[in-house]
Amino acid sequence: MTIRRTLLASFVATGLGLAVATPAQAQTTMRISISIAQNSHQGVAIDTFAREVERRTGGRYKIQTFYSGSLGGERESIEAVQLGTQELTFSSTGPVPNFVPEARILDIPFLFTDKAHARRVLDGAPGQDMLNKFDSKGFKALAWGENGVRHMTNSKRAVNGPDDLKGLKMRTMENPVHVAAYKGFGIITTPMAFPEVFTALQQGTVDGQENPLSVIMAAKFDQVQKHLTLTGHVYSPAIFLMNKAAFDKLPAADKTAFIESAKEAVKANRARVDEDDAKGVSELRSKGMQVIENVDKTRFVNALTQVNSDFEKQFGKANIDAIRNFK
Ligand code: EAX
């Protein structure tokens, strides 16, 4: 009797197991978000990722894409991924230091010579080591992507040198490294989530903001900002983040598919940043912005001498130099 019951129970369990296993052919739906518009370097990133995951897994995973902060700003999205209420997000490193403090070092102004240098570091050992630091915080960091090289805009005055930044009230990302550096320029810093920035600029709550050309165009900041200076003061990485438990649950082959899809997406993402950088100035000029293209970079760098020596103490000069000199 007991044996029969056990058999029956295991038969039923197996039957149920099969019933569950068969529709496992069906789709698992996951969500990924960005805080800016679909027509952007970030939109290209998550659209490519979604397409690649579906293709590489024979459609067993459906990645739903959300744009323009419709699931929240970047900090909220990263939080949701950490909690597992959302599986994936693609974000700038703006709010990342609040979750993974080690990543702060990548947000230091004038750290990278150019995009090529930044890409080498992120694709090389320093970047790959940094991806692993996300594990213990509840994330699987699939790959570094790119937000771009950031430039200053405002509605008050042409910025020719660092002195012109003094006293400007500017929205910054919710990033402690940026805030410290911009204070070094004499900027009055107002950290704010990205979805609120357009209105804040429009209503004059802040005078300006700083972002890559890709973001300035995607967000149509030309409608609310008159002056743009190509300060190139900081490189802004982006990152594909996935909830760690959701990633760990994937069969090995699917894990590879997700990582390879992210890498493919980064190629498209970077190519779009290059396109945007190539056409950005003329496009923004044609929309009425006054653009200062050539500034004396060393003056901006020198304005941050004190801030930089603070960063060297905080992060270790050797660690910063390792990135600066990475070939
Ligand atoms: O990720 O918050 C920012 O300024 C970011 O650069 C923007 O949301 C794109």
Side-chain angles (χ1 to χ4, degrees):
M1 190 65 183
T2 320
I3 291 169
R4 256 200 220 154
R5 260 200 201 140
T6 313
L7 279 176
L8 184 65
S10 79
F11 177 76
V12 169
T14 315
L16 281 176
L18 280 176
V20 175
T22 313
Q25 298 293 341
Q27 278 185 336
T28 304
T29 301
M30 297 188 180
R31 301 192 294 173
I32 191 164
S33 64
I34 53 172
S35 72
I36 68 171
Q38 179 176 18
N39 184 11
S40 68
H41 61 315
Q42 296 194 12
V44 165
I46 66 170
D47 288 350
T48 305
F49 177 76
R51 199 184 58 233
E52 286 296 317
V53 167
E54 287 178 39
R55 187 175 74 78
R56 288 163 194 260
T57 61
R60 284 179 292 108
Y61 299 90
K62 161 99 189 127
I63 309 290
Q64 285 183 325
T65 47
F66 295 86
Y67 313 97
S68 302
S70 61
L71 295 185
E74 291 187 327
R75 184 174 46 74
E76 290 165 302
S77 296
I78 295 174
E79 237 158 45
V81 169
Q82 191 178 42
L83 289 169
T85 52
Q86 180 182 325
E87 292 82 7
L88 292 139
T89 192
F90 184 73
S91 174
S92 79
T93 49
V96 164
N98 305 314
F99 299 87
V100 181
E102 291 96 324
R104 281 177 312 172
I105 194 166
L106 297 173
D107 294 313
I108 295 177
F110 303 114
L111 176 69
F112 300 106
T113 341
D114 51 22
K115 282 182 290 187
H117 176 208
R119 292 169 185 181
R120 271 201 312 279
V121 169
L122 295 172
D123 294 347
Q128 299 309 297
D129 289 349
M130 193 69 85
L131 290 180
N132 297 332
K133 305 265 193 265
F134 288 74
D135 290 13
S136 63
K137 310 290 180 184
F139 303 103
K140 171 66 188 176
L142 297 175
W144 288 110
E146 184 162 86
N147 195 27
V149 177
R150 302 179 82 90
H151 305 294
M152 309 260 182
T153 73
N154 81 92
S155 56
K156 286 268 145 89
R157 56 178 174 259
V159 171
N160 287 289
D163 286 349
D164 299 319
L165 293 170
K166 288 206 171 94
L168 280 180
K169 193 165 180 196
M170 297 211 4
R171 176 270 174 174
T172 74
M173 295 201 287
E174 300 162 279
N175 180 295
V177 175
H178 283 199
V179 170
Y182 303 162
K183 284 198 168 125
F185 282 131
I187 288 169
I188 302 164
T189 54
T190 309
M192 193 186 289
F194 189 80
E196 294 160 39
V197 179
F198 188 93
T199 308
L201 294 169
Q202 191 172 42
Q203 295 182 343
T205 319
V206 290
D207 304 319
Q209 64 86 45
E210 44 76 60
N211 250 304
L213 294 177
S214 297
V215 177
I216 296 171
M217 287 190 282
K220 301 187 175 18
F221 285 157
D222 50 90
Q223 294 177 359
V224 285
Q225 296 280 270
K226 180 138 187 81
H227 303 283
L228 163 63
T229 299
L230 300 193
T231 45
H233 53 280
V234 70
Y235 176 82
S236 186
I239 192 163
F240 271 102
L241 291 176
M242 182 164 179
N243 173 264
K244 179 82 165 53
F247 181 80
D248 288 345
K249 271 208 307 252
L250 299 177
D254 293 344
K255 285 191 172 102
T256 306
F258 272 64
I259 290 172
E260 291 305 314
S261 298
K263 286 184 182 163
E264 204 57 39
V266 169
K267 282 186 204 155
N269 159 242
R270 286 173 175 172
R272 174 65 183 261
V273 172
D274 287 341
E275 255 174 59
D276 289 345
D277 280 344
K279 69 171 191 205
V281 169
S282 62
E283 184 163 322
L284 291 167
R285 270 196 183 124
S286 77
K287 301 220 155 114
M289 287 193 95
Q290 296 194 353
V291 186
I292 297 174
E293 284 187 76
N294 297 308
V295 290
D296 184 353
K297 271 256 174 84
T298 51
R299 289 176 60 212
F300 286 88
V301 175
N302 291 340
L304 295 186
T305 305
Q306 180 56 49
V307 172
N308 266 315
S309 80
D310 292 347
F311 286 156
E312 283 175 4
K313 273 184 216 123
Q314 224 179 308
F315 303 122
K317 185 172 182 328
N319 296 328
I320 298 177
D321 284 345
I323 296 176
R324 281 196 206 285
N325 303 326
F326 190 83
K327 294 279 178 260

